Amino acid sequence: MSPLASATTTGTDGQFNSILLLLPLLLIAFLFFSQRRRQKKMQQMQAELQVGSRVITTTGLFGTIAGMDETTVQLEAAPGVVLQWDRRAVVPAPGAQPPHAQPSDPSDTEEGTH
């Protein structure tokens, strides 16, 4: 093999090895930043919780926030049934509107007209 051919092959192998080392680092960076993005989104949702909000727990229990403090949330799961949950286990229910946007009278909704 000529010296020129061997130099070209070595250069290509070196670039390939560099790419192989770079790919795991890029994957780790992507995972790190996507996890931080999810954490920020979760913190924002937690900060927006307020009394009267319709929520769901991490175990699938739906309820309405009856009271809350820095670490716990009191959920009303049924009329007169109030359960205490860790605040980190509660997120807004899918499709739930803020309490000020929900109609207070059930006859005001479209379901009452069907």
Side-chain angles (χ1 to χ4, degrees), residues 75-109:
L75 295 182
E76 184 173 21
V81 178
V82 178
L83 307 169
Q84 186 170 352
W85 288 80
D86 186 290
R87 189 173 178 149
R88 295 171 294 183
V90 178
V91 295
Q97 297 176 346
H100 55 78
Q102 294 177 348
S104 58
D105 185 10
S107 63
D108 290 345
T109 63

